[in-house]
Amino acid sequence: MELATSSFARTPLWKRLSLWDGAYALLILLAAGYSFRLYHQDMDVYEQGILAGSALGLIALGWFWQSWRWFFPLAGGVALLGIADYQHDLARGQTAFWLKFALASQSAIMWMCTLFFLATAVYWLGVARRSDLLLRMGRGLTWAAAAMGLAGLFVRWYESYLIAPDVGHIPVSNLYEVMVLFCLITALMHLYYEARFAVRQAGALVLPVICATVGFILWYSLDRQAHEIQPLIPALQSWWMKIHVPANFVGYGSFALAAMLGVGELLVLKGWLKDRLPSAEVLDEMMYKAISVGFLFFTIATILGAMWAADAWGGYWSWDPKETWALIVWLNYAAWLHIRLVKGWRGAPLAWWSVGGLLVTTFAFLGVNMFLSGLHSYGGL
């Protein structure tokens, strides 16, 4: 295995790429080029750079993770069906059949919520019955939920511009939108690690935290009508938001994934569901990988946030409650990685730490908005 891996690493990239890799890259480049031709007059140089970087990032992701090569075009295709059905008229969202029941952003996101609930139930039924078929079905439902969630965000982006050109914005600006993004990222990271480690039972551990978020989305949209698209407040009218927020939520999704894997490891170590869940060693390694990725992206997001603050408020750091708690989250996971890599800790202590880390992260994201005030108070409930 080591020889095969080293041989693969020495093989030039262009020799490792297949025809499908090339076709996928061409599709992304054509889509990016078409978007640039349509909207370049409304984009500044930074937004043009984000478009180019996003295209390259999507190509790299598709080459790295083969499932992404069909998932992203599928979600994009569903979104394009919804966009075409609007016929440049936002009112059709209430009258056109497919928009009203499937393809409008709110409809697609409600399908995402439903499919996540179904996937959770099927995963747990598969674990209870030791049924590989049911676990495969749970995985398929999770893919379907993620596709509808991503399509819903794409259509919501288009809907915001149908309201008015100056209202249009990327759908990562309020709590409702980022909660959908959180579900999407957490699910996709789970699907990647589930396939990489060949442990379909992990879905029964990870999906509950997504369902908890789905419950919040349903309450928040029904009780607060949060699904309605609102103009951006001045503080958020910046291209920085397009890179800072997604990077942040890759971190949040990774930390949530790691916490639920930590719960699974603790269950196995206590002897509960030991014969139905992956081994403690596998769960421990998955947890480590997830936290490593999350820490990287959270670090990038924190740096981007500081640069955004300097651009908006004239200073990189102001010890605002949100910034202070972001630092606490960063230090928490930096210490976790240090203890594992330098001290060699494994097992229950780090699993408990990972679970506790989710509580710290949740307070940094939601608790600060609910109970503390500061420069980021616009994100409150």
Side-chain angles (χ1 to χ4, degrees), residues 59-72:
I59 291 172
L61 182 58
W63 288 354
F64 173 75
W65 184 21
Q66 292 188 2
S67 296
W68 183 262
R69 293 184 305 193
W70 64 260
F71 169 78
F72 185 73

Side-chain angles (χ1 to χ4, degrees), residues 289-369:
K289 297 293 187 184
I291 287 179
S292 298
V293 172
F295 183 74
L296 171 63
F297 276 89
F298 193 79
T299 301
I300 293 171
T302 302
I303 294 171
L304 291 172
M307 296 172 69
W308 186 3
D311 187 36
W313 300 317
Y316 290 99
W317 199 266
S318 60
W319 294 105
D320 173 79
K322 195 77 167 181
E323 296 170 350
T324 303
W325 275 90
L327 178 60
I328 292 172
V329 171
W330 188 89
L331 290 172
N332 173 72
Y333 287 105
W336 191 99
L337 289 169
H338 174 81
I339 290 295
R340 179 184 170 95
L341 295 174
V342 177
K343 300 298 183 180
W345 284 22
R346 299 289 191 278
L350 289 189
W352 279 112
W353 192 337
S354 178
V355 174
L358 180 59
L359 299 179
V360 174
T361 304
T362 301
F363 185 83
F365 175 55
L366 285 178
V368 170
N369 293 14

